Amino acid sequence: GDFRLVGAAVSNLAGLQVWTGDPGTAITTLQRAIHYFDSLDIAPYKINALGQLGTAYAALGEISSAIVVLDSAIGLARELGMRMEQASNIEVLAEVHRLAGNHTRALSLYGQAEELNEEMGLIEQTGADQRSRAEIYAAVGDSTLALEFARRALATHESVESRWEELSDHVLLADLEHRAGNRDASRAHMAAAKRLAVDCDARTAWTDVVLAEARIADRDERPRDVLAVLRGATADLSAGGYDTEWESEVLRARAYSALGQGDSAVAAASRAVAAVERVRSGAGSGMLRATYASMRSEAYEAHVLTSLDLGDVEAAFDAADRSRGRSLLEWIVAREAGDGEATVRNSNVRETERLLQLVGMLTTQLREEESYPPGERDTELLEDLRSRLAEARSDYEAVSARLDESGTVELALLGDVAKGAGHIRDCLAPDEALLLFFVAADEVVKFVATRSGIDAFRSPVDRDVLARRVRIGRDLLVSPNSEMDDVRLVFGDLHDILVSSARAAGHLADKSRLVIVPHGVLNYLPYAALVDRTSGRFLIEDYDIQLIPSAAAFSALRSGAASAPDAESTLSGGVAFAPMLESLPASRTEARAFRAAVERGQTQTGKKATEARVRDALAERSIVHVATHGVLNPRNPLFSRIDLAIGRGEPPDDGRLEVHELLNMPIRSALVFLSGCETGVGVAGSTDFA
């Protein structure tokens, strides 16, 4: 009957659930704990539970919820004068903003945490906050402030002889000084880092130093030195998790390529991609995993470009297709692991995810245990962690091999490549061509697949320049004051970059349909508006155009059960929904036009167009037309939504039909048409495309 102790135990259990990679269950557990703490009015316990709840939400990629909860925890801690809890939750919130790409807010929060920690005499944590600020400044290209805060962090940690933290500071400074052209200072920091790594006698410390040294040699275009440095640490790099392997293999691939050793370059790049795809954070965040993959796009880029250099176009095509994110697949698996009616029913997929979470967790624990001075480490625990890590990696390899042999339509649609380029060619109709794009740092690779083969074309263009052209093109199309000559100029340039080479080679001569697989910023390009300078015609005037997220998904739709038409399906009958008549008055006209055009067509407008009724219509074999507001959530796209009339006021009838809700809904409609704002677009033009 002591619910204070019950709540504390439940809160601790939730902490373990987050730590072991099950944040979804932890959220439910923490909500129970908070209920106990609220009923007993014991705020200090609640602060801890709220902090953990914020971490769990962030781990699932539910950034908005994480920010709200962490703000509550910080406010409560401030009110009660609990400065340590306030500082730690501010640091968690800062990391959430940092990983979500909101660098300005993250910098401000780390500054607040640094001030609090300094006031409390928590010197190590003060230095860690300073280093985090240095890393953020480096990421946004402010080398002056990056160096200033990195030097400040080193001085702070040296004042308390925190050797492990000093090592990380020296590694960061070696890289930053080298980027700034201060070679002597860079070498001095690298030498200091090596001395500390020897003193620490830890694999994780040594791998950090080795990767930094190889990174610098790569930047200096010294490929033989890159290979020599990495060769000396091969055992250490492959003995831990996958989080260090990807970069070491990318560096090897670049070095081999520079030395003209194409086969070795391709092999290293392939290993880099495999390692990137196997990294899972201990908390299992789908959104943050997507961020991780996008930040490490050089692994995919190395694989694509080295394969092309070797003349293996099909291997390059497959590598480019794999660069499409798997975060949706991973998110579904994480959320449905305990659901007997889960959308993804392949047990091997869930097992690989479980093992990758375990590898990530063990890697984190191993790094933490090795951070203690040699004399203070639990050697028995270290051996156990290393043994379990090796076993988990071995188990993963075995299950992954089984998964490759049992690829399903469902998995391919969600980003898991089931079959290669040859199978995709066989799925194309004689009058079709598939254009798959890959945006590298300074070029765009265009793959053109037809039934007769696959070809590749490369156009030199800087990634940032391409992004600006796409943004300018979009702005021209939505502005009522744009001149058609300007539109034709911009979209003519984009046509030259993306399509002209395939046309000139004759690959599209007898085609009437293009299946386009975009990549990166090209996801936001309206392909129909591309202009052929020779004929003056828009692309849509010469071809039917279909966009699809990956070639694997196209293959799955054409060859799997998903491609079989439902015998009872018909395009007669249906419902048009128009819930926002006041703010979108023309949607009433759309609804009337639908009813007039479709046999047995009906309309539901205003308060009648509830989410529950839309769900019911989607479960029927008829047409569904929805004319309403579409709202993009750029931080976590799975929580993007369409707005409907509010029914019962609670999910699944709260008037907000979010993307993630579609994953478990029965959708049998033969055609769904969404007429809404912010569909298929990125974040605001003032920021980068996401």
Side-chain angles (χ1 to χ4, degrees), residues 425-445:
R425 287 203 318 267
D426 294 340
C427 294
L428 288 163
D431 65 339
E432 286 181 323
L434 183 143
L435 298 180
L436 183 144
F437 296 109
F438 183 85
V439 181
D442 53 10
E443 65 176 301
V444 176
V445 182

Side-chain angles (χ1 to χ4, degrees), residues 49-70:
L50 285 171
Q52 292 198 68
L53 184 59
T55 302
Y57 276 128
L60 280 179
E62 299 179 15
I63 295 303
S64 298
S65 298
I67 290 171
V68 169
V69 168
L70 289 166

Side-chain angles (χ1 to χ4, degrees), residues 10-332:
V10 170
S11 183
N12 289 336
L13 174 61
L16 284 170
Q17 289 166 339
V18 172
W19 181 246
T20 55
D22 189 9
T25 304
I27 289 172
T28 304
T29 307
L30 284 162
Q31 287 168 341
R32 277 178 56 205
I34 291 169
H35 171 74
Y36 289 129
F37 300 147
D38 279 339
S39 66
L40 296 169
D41 194 23
I42 44 178
Y45 285 78
K46 182 178 178 180
I47 292 169
N48 176 271
L50 285 171
Q52 292 198 68
L53 184 59
T55 302
Y57 276 128
L60 280 179
E62 299 179 15
I63 295 303
S64 298
S65 298
I67 290 171
V68 169
V69 168
L70 289 166
D71 274 337
S72 297
I74 292 165
L76 193 55
R78 185 183 294 116
E79 183 182 322
L80 296 176
M82 299 175 66
R83 294 195 298 167
M84 188 174 293
E85 288 76 9
Q86 184 183 343
S88 63
N89 280 314
I90 287 174
E91 286 169 344
V92 175
L93 184 58
E95 190 64 9
V96 167
H97 280 290
R98 176 184 179 182
L99 290 168
N102 191 348
H103 295 119
T104 303
R105 182 64 177 144
L107 284 168
S108 173
L109 288 165
Y110 274 123
Q112 295 174 36
E114 178 188 341
E115 187 175 333
L116 282 168
N117 283 317
E118 190 170 16
E119 289 173 0
M120 291 184 289
L122 300 177
I123 306 304
E124 277 195 18
Q125 199 55 48
T126 300
D129 293 332
Q130 291 164 341
R131 187 171 62 234
S132 293
R133 293 173 81 180
E135 290 167 348
I136 295 172
Y137 279 122
V140 299
D142 192 332
S143 58
T144 301
L145 284 175
L147 279 168
E148 177 185 329
F149 278 95
R151 290 166 182 160
R152 195 183 297 180
L154 176 60
T156 301
H157 288 134
E158 284 179 336
S159 71
V160 290
E161 297 184 351
S162 178
R163 299 301 186 213
W164 187 271
E165 298 295 342
E166 287 177 46
L167 189 152
S168 298
D169 297 333
H170 278 299
V171 167
L172 176 60
L173 277 164
D175 189 66
L176 292 176
E177 295 282 14
H178 185 270
R179 287 177 182 272
N182 306 325
R183 302 303 172 89
D184 290 341
S186 176
R187 283 190 287 270
H189 284 298
M190 185 58 65
K194 287 181 178 179
R195 288 194 298 272
L196 286 167
V198 172
D199 291 343
C200 290
D201 189 26
R203 182 197 62 82
T204 48
W206 187 246
T207 54
D208 287 348
V209 172
V210 165
L211 285 173
E213 191 173 13
R215 220 178 286 132
I216 289 171
D218 174 66
R219 199 179 301 137
D220 279 344
E221 298 182 356
R222 294 183 280 115
R224 296 188 190 280
D225 289 345
V226 171
L227 295 175
V229 169
L230 294 174
R231 194 177 302 118
T234 299
D236 289 324
L237 288 164
S238 60
Y242 297 109
D243 56 340
T244 55
E245 281 186 51
W246 75 269
E247 187 177 8
S248 66
E249 295 298 350
V250 166
L251 291 167
R252 281 194 178 95
R254 288 177 182 162
Y256 283 129
S257 182
L259 294 170
Q261 300 176 30
D263 289 336
S264 297
V266 169
S270 178
R271 292 192 297 269
V273 168
V276 165
E277 292 180 351
R278 293 170 186 173
V279 173
R280 301 292 184 271
S281 65
S285 162
M287 185 211 71
L288 300 185
R289 286 202 297 262
T291 302
Y292 178 96
S294 67
M295 290 171 64
R296 286 145 180 81
S297 60
E298 58 261 41
Y300 299 101
E301 184 173 319
H303 198 190
V304 171
L305 300 185
T306 54
S307 296
L308 285 176
D309 290 342
L310 204 61
D312 193 340
V313 175
E314 292 205 356
F317 178 95
D318 290 340
D321 202 38
R322 282 210 76 94
S323 70
R324 274 71 184 164
R326 289 163 46 92
S327 55
L328 178 58
L329 171 64
E330 293 161 4
W331 190 89
I332 292 171

Side-chain angles (χ1 to χ4, degrees), residues 478-535:
V478 300
S479 171
N481 300 318
S482 296
E483 297 290 340
M484 183 54 67
D485 287 346
D486 294 334
V487 172
R488 289 184 173 276
L489 177 65
V490 172
F491 283 95
D493 287 343
L494 287 166
H495 180 278
D496 289 346
I497 294 170
L498 301 174
V499 183
S500 290
S501 50
R503 283 183 134 171
H507 295 315
L508 309 184
D510 57 346
K511 309 304 178 192
S512 60
R513 182 180 179 85
L514 299 182
V515 180
I516 295 177
V517 184
H519 181 238
V521 67
L522 296 179
N523 277 285
Y524 308 110
L525 177 66
Y527 290 88
L530 295 179
V531 177
D532 181 356
R533 294 183 192 276
T534 305
S535 65

Side-chain angles (χ1 to χ4, degrees), residues 474 523-524 630-634 640 676-684 689-690:
R474 290 184 62 89
N523 277 285
Y524 308 110
V631 182
L632 175 79
N633 183 335
S640 298
C677 313
E678 294 195 19
T679 57
V681 299
V683 292
F689 287 115

